[in-house]
């Protein structure tokens, strides 16, 4: 277990539910994890498993019909712990954290920037609200930030509108915006899904550099296992609102225990293994969130299902930092053969 | 930006030419000509063909259609709009006399409906689902669907006749010419004229605002820790404004058309009132010039709207 002073943010037994038409979608159903300072936590899982909702919950950016039902989100700031779940959604304290202490970058840089304001204006907004810089200083800092993100001619591009930026440039501008106040935590919700592969690696390199330079803790949401292997220090695998397996990147990728993690890893082609490699898609599809299995959420698609799986398994910690939610996990441990 | 405006102004020229030609042709197609309109039928029955021919020749009516259009266009461009058949007053004099009243009424109504429509619509969107929102929606529906002259008559009945708060009509009384004397006169016609447009702008602003508030950049703005008013107004409303400005531009002709009726109801001495008189008296030159003028206003308005849209939305400037 990491010492508390190394942890930037801890989430304990978090439950976020959505209410629509008198039905309840338990989008995040009891997840716990920690984001370590200066480290990257990757959250992986299929679409709809609750990754983005977890991120929105930390930022309190949930839509109106959803709420934090239970659990704690604790931000370990320099001046003491802040219980984010207790703060008012758009209250002053929450706003002071957003953009300044915890910043976020989004999936689609095409729509995440306001089309009617210049890039400089939009980056400057964060600085205006979270720092005491003068208008002139804000402009200089904005230009510096853009330069730091590898935007050429930042003195000119700062006055351009988003529509004259390419997708990759917009995401750089988004990152510049997120990093403008040197946040302790950066949440990146699939930041490269809308970009092409060459730009992807540039964006990730940039994020890695920022992490190293500013000691920023990064929570990266992705469904790209290659990205996980490349960037992650810790990994959490989510399925239907639960973290089914978590641990360091070595533990989870080299010795996956949960059947879902193992199925996920087998379903991905690996570069260099040629065309005859054995790719096994995961059978079936994710269940309807309104009609969930009673026990283990993965049970209906699991090859190793037993009767016990009709009851939700407890989370078990082993090897120090690896956690798994599976009744039969012992049989899948690497030394169990 | 400057090239955009210049290009847009240059586009006006062919449009105006086409429309002036259409208006001239329409006049040409009406039965009879200036001669038969000027001479009373009794006298006309006693004139010979040769005399008619001479009369026409003296007015230049025997020249070809295109030539006459050319002469007329040349005159109009020099500010010579011809004469009204009723009384032979130069049309330009009538315009100078009547235009300020119409502009005053339309601009006050335009300003009022834009401001009020935007405020109410935005408020409605922000308080979506509240009682205020529902009531405004109902009021908006009523406002859009009931014709203006009806409102005009009801307003006259209540505020002028029963309560006696406001004058029944007219623009100003002789001897009373300060702005304070004039305000009571313009309140009712301007309110009634702007009612329908206010309702339209309000409903449009509401849906445009609701749409803007669901966009991703609103979440981005929120994630930056900006206060709610800034998110709603600077990010939401600013983006919602573009379609609203376009709508207001489209509604301008309706406003001008509406003022014809409202001027009649409130005895407002404007061009609309003059227009009705001209139509009744078959005063074709005057009808034509007023029509041409309305067209010109609409085109100018659309130019202004285009420039405004370009100012509001940077993406427009490129195309």
């Amino acid at each position: 277990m990491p010492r508390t002073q190394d942890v930037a943010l801890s989430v304990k037994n978090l439950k976020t539910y959505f209410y629509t038409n008198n039905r309840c979608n338990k989008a995040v159903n009891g997840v716990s994890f920690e984001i370590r300072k200066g480290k990257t936590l990757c959250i992986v899982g299929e679409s709809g498993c609750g990754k983005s909702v977890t991120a929105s919950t930390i930022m309190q950016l949930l839509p109106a019909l959803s709420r934090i039902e239970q659990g704690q989100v604790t931000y370990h700031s320099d001046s003491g712990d802040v219980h984010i779940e207790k703060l008012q959604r758009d209250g002053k304290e929450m706003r002071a954290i957003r953009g300044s202490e915890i910043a976020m970058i989004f999936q689609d840089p095409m729509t995440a920037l306001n089309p009617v304001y210049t890039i400089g204006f939009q980056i400057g907004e964060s600085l205006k609200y979270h720092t005491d810089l003068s208008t002139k200083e804000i402009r200089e800092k904005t230009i510096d930030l853009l330069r730091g993100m590898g935007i050429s001619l930042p003195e000119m591009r700062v006055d351009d509108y988003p529509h004259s930026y390419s997708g990759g440039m917009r995401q750089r501008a988004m990152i510049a915006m997120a990093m403008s106040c040197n946040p302790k935590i950066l949440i990146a919700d699939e930041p490269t899904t809308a970009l092409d592969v060459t730009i992807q690696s540039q964006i990730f390199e940039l994020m890695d550099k920022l992490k190293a330079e500013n000691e920023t803790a990064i929570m990266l949401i992705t469904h790209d296992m290659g990205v996980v292997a490349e960037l992650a220090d810790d990994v959490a695998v989510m399925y239907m609102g639960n973290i089914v397996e978590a641990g360091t990147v070595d533990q989870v990728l080299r010795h996956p225990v949960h059947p879902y993690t193992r199925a996920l890893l087998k379903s991905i082609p690996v570069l260099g293994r040629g065309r005859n490699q054995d790719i096994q898609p995961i059978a079936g599809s994710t269940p309807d969130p309104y009609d969930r299995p009673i026990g283990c959420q993965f049970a209906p698609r699991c090859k190793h299902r037993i009767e016990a799986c009709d009851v939700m398994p407890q989370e078990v910690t082993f090897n120090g930092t690896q956690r798994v939610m599976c009744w039969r996990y012992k049989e899948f441990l690497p030394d169990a053969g | 930006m400057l090239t955009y405006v210049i290009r847009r102004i240059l586009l006006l020229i062919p449009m105006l030419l086409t429309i002036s030609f259409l208006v001239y042709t329409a006049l040409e197609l009406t039965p009879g000509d200036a001669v038969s309109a000027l001479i009373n039928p009794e006298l006309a029955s006693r004139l010979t063909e040769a005399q008619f021919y001479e009369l026409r020749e003296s007015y230049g009516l025997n020249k070809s259609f295109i030539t006459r259009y050319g002469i007329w266009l040349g005159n109009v461009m020099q500010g010579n709009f011809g004469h009204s058949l009723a009384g032979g007053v130069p049309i330009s004099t009538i315009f100078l006399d009547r235009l300020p009243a119409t502009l005053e009424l339309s601009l006050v109504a335009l300003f009022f409906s834009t401001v009020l429509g935007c405020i109410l619509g935005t408020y409605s969107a922000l308080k979506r689902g509240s009682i205020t929102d529902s009531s405004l929606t109902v009021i908006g529906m009523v406002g859009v669907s009931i014709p203006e002259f009806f409102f005009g008559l009801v307003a006259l009945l209540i505020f002028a006749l029963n309560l006696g708060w406001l004058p029944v009509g007219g623009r100003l009384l002789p001897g009373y010419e300060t702005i304070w004397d004039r305000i009571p006169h313009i309140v009712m016609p301007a309110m009634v004229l702007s009612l329908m447009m206010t309702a339209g702008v309000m409903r449009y602003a509401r849906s445009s605002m609701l749409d803007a508030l669901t966009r991703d950049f609103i979440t981005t703005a929120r994630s930056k820790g900006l206060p709610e008013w800034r998110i709603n107004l600077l990010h939401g409303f600013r983006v919602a404004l573009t379609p609203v400005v376009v709508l207001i531009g489209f509604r301008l002709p309706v406003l001008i058309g509406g003022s014809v009726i409202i001027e009649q109801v409130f005895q407002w001495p404007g061009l609309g009132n003059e227009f009705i008189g001209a139509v009744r008296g078959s005063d074709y030159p005057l009808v034509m010039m007023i029509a041409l003028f309305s067209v010109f206003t609409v085109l100018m308005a659309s130019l202004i709207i285009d420039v405004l849209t370009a100012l509001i939305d940077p993406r427009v400037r490129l195309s």
Side-chain angles (χ1 to χ4, degrees), chain B residues 31-201:
Chain B
D33 57 19
V35 169
S36 57
L38 277 171
I39 299 167
N40 69 50
E42 227 174 290
L43 186 67
S45 62
R46 278 183 276 136
L47 288 177
T48 63
E49 269 307 305
Q51 282 172 309
F52 264 119
Y53 183 85
E54 250 172 66
L55 265 175
R56 291 213 173 90
E57 189 65 44
S58 70
Y59 283 103
L61 291 173
N62 290 332
K63 296 195 175 79
S64 78
F65 173 65
I66 297 294
T67 321
R68 278 183 288 134
Y69 170 69
I71 295 170
W72 173 78
L73 194 66
N75 280 334
V76 168
M77 284 206 274
Q78 286 164 37
N80 178 6
F81 297 161
H83 292 74
S84 158
L85 292 184
V89 189
I91 291 176
S92 47
T93 314
I94 297 179
F95 266 63
L96 283 177
D97 204 28
R98 298 299 188 109
L99 190 57
T102 295
L103 283 183
E104 182 181 302
L105 181 61
S106 316
L107 290 181
V108 169
L110 178 68
F111 174 78
F112 187 76
S113 55
T114 306
V115 172
L116 198 68
C118 282
I119 292 177
L120 290 179
T122 308
Y123 183 81
S124 208
L126 291 176
K127 301 276 171 198
R128 186 188 184 180
S130 69
I131 296 171
T132 324
D133 176 32
S134 318
S135 341
L136 280 175
T137 306
V138 173
I139 295 171
M141 279 307 288
V142 173
V144 169
S145 38
I146 297 181
E148 290 156 324
F149 65 86
F150 178 77
F151 278 126
L153 293 175
V154 172
L156 268 179
L157 198 66
I158 297 175
F159 296 107
L161 297 180
N162 287 352
L163 297 171
W165 291 351
L166 295 165
V168 180
R171 188 175 170 217
L172 48 113
L173 299 167
Y176 297 89
E177 286 184 5
T178 68
I179 184 120
W180 302 112
D181 296 328
R182 293 163 72 158
I183 284 177
H185 284 89
I186 202 171
V187 171
M188 251 199 302
M191 291 298 127
V192 171
L193 183 57
S194 61
L195 205 82
M196 215 171 188
M197 188 146 148
T198 309
V201 171

Side-chain angles (χ1 to χ4, degrees), chain A residues 16-29:
Chain A
T16 305
Y17 293 177
F18 281 68
Y19 297 91
T20 38
N21 300 330
N22 292 323
R23 295 200 299 178
C24 171
N25 178 4
K26 301 177 178 176
V28 174
N29 200 7

Side-chain angles (χ1 to χ4, degrees), chain A residues 77 240 244 256 276:
Chain A
S77 78
M240 292 302 286
V244 291
N276 295 325

